[in-house]
Every structure is written in C-alpha cells, then in structure tokens.
Amino acid sequence: MTQLAHSRADGVIADGVLADRADAEVLVRRLCFRAGPAGLVGAELEWFTRVPDGGRAPLSALADALGPHCPVSLDSTSPARPLRGGGRVTVEPGGQVEVSSAPGDGPNALVGALQDDEAHLRALLAARGIGLVAGATESSRPALRLLRQPRYNAMARRFDDVGPFGRLMMCSTAATQVTVDAGANDADIAGRWAMLAAVGPALVAAFAASPSLAGAPAGVWASQRMRAWLALDPPRTRPVPFEQYASWALDVPLLCVRRDGGDWSPPPDATFADWIGGALDDAIGRGPDF
C-alpha cells in the first residue's frame, strides 16, 4: 500500500494508507482546493533575458548577478533570499527569470510589491549587463533548454512524445500567472471555478499578444503561447468542472515521478490511480513524493 499522510472529512485514514479510489479522490481535493476565507492574491511574473550580443544570459551569469537571491536550482548553496518586495526568484528551463510574489492582501498591495521586486531584479541584472524582456513568446530566438535537472529531463521526454509544443512552452514562452484563494467551502469553490472557466476565453482574447513563436508549426494565432498550451498535452489541459476534478486528476497520464536518485518518467499509460493498492510502487520501488 502507498503510504501517504492525509485525512478524510470523516476522520483519519487508518495508518495513512491510500486504500481505494474514494480515499485518493479525497486526498486530491484536499491538496488542490484548500477551503478558507478568500482574499489573498499572488502572482508570478516571467521575463526572457538578453545580453548585449542578443543571446540568452548564461546560467552562471544569472547566478552571479542574483547573488543571495539566486535560486537553489542554479546554486545549491544559495540562501535564496526574497527580493525586497517579498518575491522569490526562480529560473525556467529556457533561462526565463521568474518572480513568485508573496501572498498579497488584495491586488493593490500585490502590484506594489511586484513593482518593487521588478525594479530590484532589473537593477541586479543590469549591473552584470543582463536585460529583461517582457513578452509571451520568443519570436526570433529558437528554443534552447539551459536547465538540465532530472525534473526537466523527464518533462522533455514526456513532451517529445506529444509534439513540438512541449519544449517550446518550456523554453520559449513566458507569462503572468495569478493565484487566488480557492473559496470558503465547496459551493463557493465550485462557483469561483466555474466563473474562471467562463471568463477564460475572454481573458485569452483580451491579453493575446504573441502572434509569433520561433520554431512553431505554421498557423495563424493571436496567442501562440495559448496555442502551445492547448497542443502540448490535451488530456492535462482541457477544461474540467470542479466536481469532476479529483476523478479526472487520478486518470491523467503522469508527467514524472520523483524517487531516490532523481526524477523518472513513468510508462506512458501510468496514472496516479495506479498507485491505489501499491501497484506502481512495486514497479518503481516507492510511491509519489508530495
């Protein structure tokens, strides 16, 4: 049996064992939709980098420029301190620089903190001759993966089975991503989830600004970034009603599985549901690491 620490609405599952699909669906819902007062908001901002010759900033140059704010993915000894507005820096596979904000008490507080973080980040990088470029896609530079960690190796292998858009998304796109509280209870969460699904197409249309993506197959799109997401992994990116999410999540093909010694890409048809009763545990030696 897969050992997981979690609880059900009617009590703690005996010995923390994931015994059946009902237990697994409770686990997924509790992990993905934490009920509570809604009010906090966060955001992630991503930029491409550019050095004087037009290329991407090498990872070593980014690590040097970021100093104590450098993420551990570039320097395992870094303290990875937040920027002065509270956001933390990470780096995406293609060398995109990302700031993940601290939770803000409403949008005004969040925007102010992110503006402070952006100014701080730009000053750090400019001191080493590195510029930040805002945009949703690389319109001229071809995809180039800089990070070679096991997680991204596994992702690349999985996406290569789907088509070209996986690597393009990893290495040649950037975005603004907003995070909000799920809601006070299941009814509130379901309503907020449905609202986001309903307004999603309008938001995509309003902010579409990436008609070009270097290396993408022919096709006329206002948002090549959205095209990449829709095409790279259809089972994982289709809209799902809130009430069906937990069941859907158990049946989506796994992207990668973490185990001792690094990440590993599971068989193409493996799903989270395969862990119920430990079937996949026997194949790889341990269960998923949450």
Side-chain angles (χ1 to χ4, degrees):
M1 295 292 187
T2 298
Q3 301 294 315
L4 296 168
H6 63 291
S7 62
R8 298 184 65 167
D10 57 352
V12 178
I13 295 176
D15 300 321
V17 173
L18 186 63
D20 56 32
R21 188 179 180 98
D23 287 349
E25 290 189 10
V26 170
L27 169 66
V28 169
R29 181 168 294 197
R30 283 182 171 267
L31 287 174
C32 297
F33 300 98
R34 296 175 184 259
L40 295 177
V41 60
E44 298 176 355
L45 305 180
E46 298 175 358
W47 297 269
F48 301 112
T49 65
R50 190 176 299 276
V51 293
D53 67 2
R56 298 169 173 85
L59 298 183
S60 58
L62 282 176
D64 179 59
L66 292 169
H69 308 290
C70 177
V72 294
S73 61
L74 302 189
D75 179 0
S76 61
T77 67
S78 172
R81 295 174 186 163
L83 299 169
R84 64 192 180 205
R88 295 185 181 274
V89 181
T90 54
V91 176
E92 294 295 301
Q96 307 96 311
V97 175
E98 177 181 72
V99 172
S100 299
S101 77
D105 187 14
N108 290 336
L110 174 68
V111 169
L114 282 172
Q115 288 175 332
D116 199 19
D117 279 342
E118 181 181 357
H120 188 187
L121 178 64
R122 285 186 180 276
L124 290 172
L125 298 184
R128 298 294 192 276
I130 301 170
L132 292 178
V133 180
T137 57
E138 290 274 19
S139 59
S140 58
R141 298 184 301 190
L144 175 65
R145 186 157 66 94
L146 301 182
L147 280 182
R148 296 285 172 176
Q149 294 174 317
R151 172 190 176 191
Y152 295 123
N153 292 340
M155 288 176 64
R157 287 195 297 270
R158 174 72 184 181
F159 287 150
D160 282 348
D161 291 336
V162 179
F165 285 104
R167 291 203 180 215
L168 287 170
M169 181 278 295
M170 291 172 64
C171 303
S172 296
T173 72
T176 297
Q177 302 165 46
V178 179
T179 303
V180 297
D181 287 320
N185 50 50
D186 278 358
D188 190 27
I189 295 171
R192 290 162 67 87
W193 184 265
M195 181 272 291
L196 288 174
V199 303
L203 290 174
V204 170
F207 292 97
S210 54
S212 300
L213 173 58
V220 178
W221 285 67
S223 176
Q224 290 283 356
R225 176 178 164 84
M226 194 68 222
R227 179 194 187 191
W229 270 106
L230 292 173
L232 70 91
D233 198 349
R236 197 182 312 277
T237 55
R238 67 178 178 85
V240 180
F242 166 71
E243 295 80 6
Q244 299 174 21
Y245 185 88
S247 178
W248 165 84
L250 296 182
D251 295 324
V252 171
L254 290 169
L255 187 64
C256 57
V257 178
R258 176 175 293 176
R259 66 175 187 173
D260 292 337
D263 290 350
W264 169 75
S265 294
D269 296 331
T271 68
F272 184 82
D274 291 327
W275 264 290
I276 299 172
L280 204 55
D281 280 356
D282 297 336
I284 67 171
R286 61 171 287 186
D289 180 0
F290 288 99

